[in-house]
Amino acid sequence: MRAAVLFGPRDLRVEEVPEPSPADGEVIVEVQAATTCGTDVKMWRHGHRVLPPYPCRFGHETAGVRIDTGERVLVSDSVACGACGPCRSGRPQICRSPTWVLGGFAERIAAPAAALHPIPDGLPAEAAAMAEPLAAAVHAVARGTDAGDVGILGGGPMGLMLAGLLLAQGRSVTLSDPHAARRRQAEELGARAVEGLDDRHELVFEAVGRAEAWREAAAAAGVGGVVVLVGGCPTGTEVSFQAGPLHYEELEFRGSFHHSPEEVDEALAVLAADGALWRTLRGRTISLEELPGALRTRSRGPAKKWVVDPRRLPA
Ligand SMILES: [Zn+2]
Ligand SMILES: [Zn+2]
């Protein structure tokens, strides 16, 4: 079968590889759609802590069909150990030894049955694949509060997903992004869009992943506000904050990482109920062979996720 194989930083080749052989508890899934995200770009550019040694496979937003039962499934990108401290206290998203399930950029993938989630009827595979990042947005919203007035920093896929979820709950959302095309996407979802967060908000989400953005999110929090930090910064990043507001205004900072299996099912239900989010984020459908070029493309336009369909043959 064909698979995208990462041989080193920026060295991605599509190769003929042996068929996956399922280990105990694993099943084979025929991939129909694997969406790309910022993490894939990071993995391609300089590796990532969850990648196995080179040469390795990646692609973690994967939807397809179980070969054994014919059921349509989303392949979640991790299975928590169930035994560590966080797992035992009901926080599988920060499991200390999860099994990562990577390799969606291939015709087939062997995945633990525990990583599979049934796709609701009528939801296309390319939309279902987005349930993986959307589940992280569902988790981030749960890490926040029920404040009616929310600010979001960043109009990439994560910021827009957060906006969609919060708007569906009837909250008032202001999203900031320097790119006009992304502000337009936020407005189409029903948010107010600005170039930089000007007002202060009861609840602020940071969805950029840079030290300046973390500071800006903190500065945009109103008195007694909560800041949810969703964007992952490069390893080793240090962020400094004004101590005053943290103390005198009792600001609260909360990290948000990943998702639980229940949040993946919730994300699938959200996508099945309302097509607006995946329609705005859906980018071009490409073959495996077009993936290296797609990862090299830096977009200043709208936030889009490429949809890799490994069944497509090179043009
Ligand atoms: Zn992702
Ligand atoms: Zn665990």
Side-chain angles (χ1 to χ4, degrees):
M1 67 161 189
R2 284 149 54 245
V5 184
L6 204 47
F7 282 87
R10 293 173 192 260
D11 184 3
L12 179 64
R13 305 174 216 163
V14 176
E15 301 220 318
E16 198 60 40
V17 300
E19 287 293 331
S21 53
D24 241 10
E26 287 187 339
V27 295
I28 304 294
V29 174
E30 180 103 48
V31 180
Q32 294 183 328
T35 44
T36 64
C37 89
T39 305
D40 296 317
V41 177
K42 287 184 206 165
M43 287 175 167
W44 169 76
R45 205 176 277 156
H46 39 67
H48 195 280
R49 63 184 182 89
V50 306
L51 277 182
Y54 297 119
C56 61
R57 317 270 183 85
F58 69 142
H60 61 275
E61 303 179 2
T62 311
V65 174
R66 268 180 87 136
I67 283 185
D68 57 348
T69 62
E71 187 184 20
R72 296 191 326 129
V73 288
L74 170 82
V75 183
S76 180
D77 62 350
S78 67
V79 178
C81 78
C84 69
C87 276
R88 276 181 292 136
S89 65
R91 301 177 75 180
Q93 72 279 1
I94 47 170
C95 172
R96 296 298 83 194
S97 58
T99 302
W100 293 101
V101 185
L102 305 172
F105 299 138
E107 288 187 275
R108 281 168 287 283
I109 179 176
L116 306 182
H117 298 256
I119 297 175
D121 286 340
L123 185 66
E126 68 264 33
M130 288 181 206
E132 195 284 315
L134 183 61
V138 167
H139 179 66
V141 169
R143 292 283 289 152
T145 62
D146 58 4
D149 169 47
V150 186
I152 299 174
L153 208 78
M158 184 51 67
L160 291 169
M161 287 180 180
L162 289 167
L165 293 172
L166 292 159
L167 288 160
Q169 296 178 353
R171 312 213 217 176
S172 147
V173 173
T174 303
L175 180 145
S176 86
D177 195 282
H179 303 298
R182 295 177 174 203
R183 291 199 298 275
R184 224 166 8 252
Q185 283 175 290
E187 282 167 352
E188 278 161 19
L189 291 172
R192 189 170 86 87
V194 293
E195 272 183 66
L197 287 180
D198 35 12
D199 292 331
R200 296 180 77 186
H201 304 273
E202 296 168 71
L203 175 61
V204 180
F205 289 89
E206 190 283 341
V208 176
R210 279 203 303 266
E212 316 85 81
W214 280 43
R215 270 196 301 273
E216 202 180 323
V223 177
V226 169
V227 182
V228 181
L229 302 158
V230 189
C233 295
T235 314
T237 300
E238 290 193 5
V239 189
S240 57
F241 297 100
Q242 288 287 329
L246 264 80
H247 178 62
Y248 295 110
E249 300 179 13
E250 292 198 342
L251 297 193
E252 202 177 319
F253 293 177
R254 298 179 187 171
S256 181
F257 178 68
H258 211 47
H259 46 64
S260 69
E262 294 73 25
E263 286 160 342
V264 174
D265 288 327
E266 196 179 327
L268 283 164
V270 167
L271 289 163
D274 181 4
L277 259 184
W278 71 266
R279 272 197 305 272
T280 191
L281 290 173
R282 180 195 179 161
R284 213 157 61 74
T285 300
I286 59 175
S287 64
L288 281 171
E289 286 71 13
E290 290 171 279
L291 178 63
L295 294 174
R296 266 194 298 273
T297 309
R298 280 210 194 203
S299 167
R300 304 238 145 245
K304 293 284 182 195
K305 296 170 80 68
W306 302 87
V307 181
V308 177
D309 182 348
R311 297 167 299 178
R312 286 200 174 196
L313 295 172

